[in-house]
Amino acid sequence: MSLIELKNIEKIYSGEEVETHVLRGITFNIEAGEFVAIMGPSGSGKSTLLHILGFLDRHTKGTYRFEGKTIDDYTDEELAHIRNKKMGFIFQSFNLLRRTTVLENVKLPLLYSDVRESQWSSMAKKAIEAVGLSHRLDHEPSQLSGGEQQRVAIARALVNNPEVIFADEPTGNLDSKSGKVVMEILQKLNEEHKHTVILITHETYTAQHANRIIRIHDGIVEHDDIVDHRRTADAEFIK
């Protein structure tokens, strides 16, 4: 049984007089522990696909199974619970709360979890340590570099120890050095901590840090290839 199974997934947005087909029959499986890059140009449907994979949106047609169970069998409330417990999200825009410390930002997913409040600080600190920012606990986002803000976002995605980490263009707003740091963290999370990582990107260089690249164009899978010579991020943490 694969962790994720997609079969003939379609996504159609209906307007008053027109239907827009964003995904046109996507089929693939992702195994637990894989690092997969979903790559395509703007408008190819990759972000829509991520939203469906991460239960942020529902597909129109086809079958999506997560851990062997069909997503259509869940209510929105049940999907939200699974999303909080088993999935972590990293976005290009960081999505951190201003005037809120690093520690409090990382705690946020725990507000909606079953974890006792007495454990929140220790869990958040562990996640922050994993991205090399223990010395920034009491800083606010405005006091951090872009690379540091993205690492806070990664820590927030990690705090519930999710099975799957979704990263949507995580290096898009970063300089090359900070981008290498982010990719190093994602590779370590995959290799050392066995998180499944699903990366959305339009950049070949970034995609090559994954073990497998799924290329989509105009809502269909064009190629699904194993990366023979994977790039290894060897950046040092930026202190």
Side-chain angles (χ1 to χ4, degrees), residues 84-87 123 157-164 193 195:
N84 177 262
K85 185 176 181 180
K86 296 190 175 185
M87 298 177 173
M123 291 175 67
L158 284 178
V159 72
N160 271 329
N161 193 30
E163 294 181 30
V164 187
H193 301 282
H195 293 280

Side-chain angles (χ1 to χ4, degrees), residues 169-213:
E169 301 279 7
T171 63
N173 284 337
L174 305 178
D175 59 48
S176 60
K177 185 175 181 180
S178 298
K180 287 180 181 179
V181 173
V182 167
M183 295 312 302
E184 178 187 40
I185 293 171
L186 291 177
Q187 284 186 330
K188 285 186 175 181
L189 292 173
N190 173 247
E191 295 172 357
E192 298 179 12
H193 301 282
K194 309 306 179 185
H195 293 280
T196 303
V197 178
I198 299 176
L199 169 72
I200 300 295
T201 184
H202 66 279
E203 299 173 337
T204 300
Y205 176 86
T206 302
Q208 288 173 344
H209 289 85
N211 298 113
R212 174 184 169 197
I213 300 176

Side-chain angles (χ1 to χ4, degrees), residues 22 24 26 39-46 214-223:
V22 181
R24 302 171 177 269
I26 300 286
M39 184 180 172
S42 297
S44 61
K46 59 185 185 297
I214 298 172
R215 291 179 172 85
I216 67 173
H217 187 77
D218 290 339
I220 62 172
V221 174
E222 284 193 327
H223 300 283

